[in-house]
Amino acid sequence: MKLWGGRFTKPTNELVDEYTASIHFDQKLAVYDIQGSLAHVEMLKVCGIVSEEDADVITAGLRVVGDKIAAGEAVLSEENEDIHMNIEKLLIDEIGSVGGKLHTGRSRNDQVALDMRLYLREALVTISQLLLDLQKALHKQAEANLETVLPGYTHLQRAQPVLFAHHMMAYVYMFQRDIERLSDSWKRVNQSPLGAGALAGTTFPIDRQYVADKLRFEGICENSLDAVSDRDFVVEFLANASLVSTHLSRLCEELVQWSSAEFNFIELDDAFCTGSSMMPQKKNPDVAELVRGKTGRVYGHLMGMLTTLKGLPLAYNKDMQEDKEGMFDTVETLKGALALFAPMIETMEVKADNMYEAVAKDYSNATDLADYLVGKGMAFRESHAVVGQAVLYAINQQKFLLDLSLDEFQRFSSLIEKDIYEVLAPKAVVDARNVAGGTAQNRVEEQIASAKQLFQMSSEWIELHKQLIRYQ
Ligand code: ARG
């Protein structure tokens, strides 16, 4: 007999049981479901809705059920559809019909919304910690490569040289915004829907605030219809996760390119690469490729969730059971990628000499020659044309700008003097970009220093919120 079987005259078709069940994936919510139920029954007791005696029996029973599930000793069944009804059934098996009092003043609709929020709170903290670890690995590489110059690219054409540290710090700031987005979303996740009932509230004199306080929520969802039908906190998480994936994927692409023979700028540690079953010489950057590839499923989950919600009438609809797998998979996908990424970045070998050689053998100091002429009074548009001519000449001579003699330089402008050779040297070109946020070494040092304060802030946020969810 189903928990809701009273008004039915027939057993459910087996295929319907199979099709509508969510137990095979929502069992992930078991621990949060137990936490929520413990808080709910305590509130029922405090409000005099369930006797102290009954509430204590239920509380003890819930703990036993929780332990059994954690130990893998509980049988979870499709007939009981989802984790909420499975736990209720296990509780009744454990303590008898008094277990049936747990669901007083509650519906699975507010219960599932609660579990999702409890789950996501923890995920926000864990993912933020992993992002911070990755930032620290990038930051370490920046500190170790303060004088390493490599070509900076636009259109994947060598553009102007930059410090490798500058390049690493660019990602530090991307992941910083990701952490900030996750921590900002906390306040919207951290509202308790419990007490909204199926959709309209409940006739029992419950105390929603009591449950919210117990579970360390900042407040309660103020509208019961909204409380049970809103999943925008899931969409928001998936959108934030999509941006994390975007950032990771761009970094992946650079690691893949940089470790090719064509670039040869870095070597990923053997521990983070794999070989080919056929070609003995191969060392493939599989991790970076797979993280890049998994971006697709994260974006897909975002689209899926948005589409599922679109056009749903208020309040709860069974469609919303589709909110879980994408969220779980996204959390697992990010955790998996980030856990690998920090040590992979930390252990990668930076081939500073090859990077420098790439800079020395290109024309990425052309802007500096143009700027030099501007310094001598020429209009930038004119100097741009003059230097364009000089570059063309050098290309035809199979030379780089620094290979030109002073005589050759002066064919293009008499304003050029012999100090030009210092001006066009790679490190001088980098250090000339001495503007806030620029690639000059002292400017990058500023970033490296100020990022430490950002890390400190993130670290404090993470610690505080780790404490907050450790409430039992
Ligand atoms: N398994 C359902 C879900 O995940 C729980 C809520 C079901 N509520 C209902 N009245 N059918 O969405």
Side-chain angles (χ1 to χ4, degrees):
M1 172 88 155
K2 289 267 178 358
L3 281 175
W4 40 256
R7 67 96 64 220
F8 287 77
T9 55
K10 281 185 185 176
T12 324
N13 179 303
E14 261 176 49
L15 286 176
V16 171
D17 270 343
E18 201 184 308
Y19 189 70
T20 57
S22 51
I23 186 62
H24 50 288
F25 51 85
D26 68 14
Q27 51 186 275
K28 237 191 164 80
L29 296 174
V31 37
Y32 310 100
D33 203 70
I34 299 274
Q35 284 169 6
S37 289
L38 286 169
H40 179 66
V41 73
E42 186 177 315
M43 180 278 289
L44 293 175
K45 172 166 95 173
V46 170
C47 294
I49 299 167
V50 165
S51 75
E52 200 168 323
E53 208 187 350
D54 287 350
D56 291 347
V57 173
I58 294 172
T59 301
L62 278 170
R63 293 200 191 281
V64 173
V65 171
D67 290 345
K68 281 193 177 167
I69 296 176
E73 286 163 12
V75 181
L76 302 169
S77 78
E78 235 166 38
E79 275 133 78
N80 291 313
E81 194 182 315
D82 55 24
I83 189 62
H84 325 293
M85 289 202 294
N86 267 281
I87 287 179
E88 192 176 330
K89 194 88 172 176
L90 288 166
L91 179 69
I92 292 168
D93 290 349
E94 196 67 40
I95 62 172
S97 61
V98 63
K101 296 193 177 188
L102 170 63
H103 212 51
T104 313
R106 186 177 74 173
S107 154
R108 275 183 296 152
N109 296 352
D110 53 350
Q111 194 180 352
V112 70
L114 176 80
D115 293 2
M116 297 277 289
R117 286 167 184 267
L118 291 174
Y119 168 88
L120 199 52
R121 280 199 323 195
E122 205 169 308
L124 292 181
V125 175
T126 312
I127 294 172
S128 299
Q129 177 67 61
L130 289 166
L131 281 165
L132 178 60
D133 294 344
L134 173 54
Q135 281 182 306
K136 287 183 178 170
L138 290 160
H139 190 265
K140 246 190 213 166
Q141 283 289 6
E143 274 183 321
N145 285 287
L146 257 172
E147 302 199 11
T148 305
V149 183
L150 83 163
Y153 297 81
T154 64
H155 313 268
L156 202 55
Q157 304 292 319
R158 289 178 188 171
Q160 289 173 355
V162 293
L163 289 183
F164 188 69
H166 195 55
H167 203 114
M168 291 293 100
M169 290 305 293
Y171 284 101
V172 168
Y173 289 105
M174 291 180 228
F175 293 124
Q176 180 61 27
R177 291 191 297 279
D178 289 333
I179 291 182
E180 287 171 16
R181 266 184 287 271
L182 293 175
S183 61
D184 183 70
S185 72
W186 176 273
K187 59 178 181 277
R188 284 175 291 280
V189 175
N190 199 29
Q191 303 288 332
S192 173
L194 207 68
L199 73 164
T202 170
T203 56
F204 294 98
I206 59 165
D207 184 346
R208 292 188 61 195
Q209 194 59 50
Y210 184 93
V211 180
D213 290 343
K214 181 81 195 158
L215 295 171
R216 308 270 181 92
F217 280 105
E218 231 157 82
I220 57 172
C221 303
E222 298 208 27
N223 181 300
S224 64
L225 292 169
D226 181 39
V228 292
S229 58
D230 157 46
R231 292 292 184 273
D232 56 19
F233 65 95
V234 179
V235 172
E236 188 174 353
F237 169 69
L238 295 173
N240 292 338
S242 293
L243 280 170
V244 173
S245 302
T246 304
H247 293 151
L248 276 176
S249 163
R250 296 185 76 170
L251 180 53
C252 288
E253 172 63 12
E254 303 212 280
L255 296 180
V256 171
Q257 277 180 13
W258 288 344
S259 42
S260 69
E262 284 69 18
F263 274 83
N264 199 16
F265 282 181
I266 61 161
E267 179 157 354
L268 294 172
D269 195 84
D270 274 6
F272 294 93
C273 292
T274 57
S276 155
S277 58
M278 187 195 185
M279 299 165 282
Q281 85 284 9
K282 290 296 292 293
K283 174 173 164 183
N284 298 328
D286 279 36
V287 172
E289 294 166 76
L290 197 53
V291 168
R292 185 179 60 186
K294 282 180 189 286
T295 308
R297 66 203 285 160
V298 176
Y299 291 179
H301 295 318
L302 171 62
M303 279 307 124
M305 189 72 251
L306 282 167
T307 311
T308 294
L309 288 177
K310 179 191 171 295
L312 285 188
L314 299 187
Y316 178 83
N317 301 270
K318 183 73 171 178
D319 313 47
M320 290 159 69
Q321 184 168 288
E322 287 289 303
D323 60 359
K324 282 166 213 61
E325 287 161 289
M327 180 178 77
F328 295 154
D329 185 63
T330 299
V331 169
E332 294 307 325
T333 301
L334 286 193
K335 277 197 210 168
L338 290 168
L340 275 171
F341 237 86
M344 186 166 74
I345 290 292
E346 213 176 310
T347 55
M348 87 185 164
E349 182 201 338
V350 176
K351 299 184 174 174
D353 292 346
N354 292 353
M355 291 182 182
Y356 191 87
E357 178 143 332
V359 171
K361 296 204 167 133
D362 71 14
Y363 300 88
S364 62
N365 48 5
T367 313
D368 296 76
L369 179 53
D371 289 353
Y372 173 91
L373 292 172
V374 169
K376 305 246 164 173
M378 193 183 282
F380 179 75
R381 197 44 64 210
E382 192 186 334
S383 71
H384 187 286
V386 166
V387 176
Q389 293 289 304
V391 167
L392 188 61
Y393 168 83
I395 291 171
N396 287 332
Q397 297 292 309
Q398 296 190 352
K399 288 179 175 177
F400 297 101
L401 288 178
L402 278 174
D403 301 329
L404 300 182
S405 67
L406 189 57
D407 198 43
E408 286 174 301
F409 270 126
Q410 286 175 344
R411 284 191 217 162
F412 299 96
S413 170
S414 56
L415 295 172
I416 300 176
E417 292 169 75
K418 71 173 188 307
D419 61 342
I420 193 60
Y421 295 101
E422 279 157 46
V423 170
L424 296 185
K427 187 62 171 34
V429 166
V430 163
D431 283 333
R433 267 114 192 121
N434 187 6
V435 58
T439 200
Q441 188 175 332
N442 61 316
R443 295 305 191 166
V444 177
E445 279 165 355
E446 284 173 7
Q447 297 176 40
I448 287 175
S450 73
K452 282 189 186 150
Q453 287 162 20
L454 298 175
F455 296 169
Q456 186 53 32
M457 275 162 48
S458 300
S459 206
E460 282 165 18
W461 186 89
I462 290 164
E463 280 317 310
L464 184 73
H465 290 76
K466 260 188 201 159
Q467 291 304 321
L468 216 88
I469 53 180
R470 211 177 285 140
Y471 49 83
Q472 294 268 313

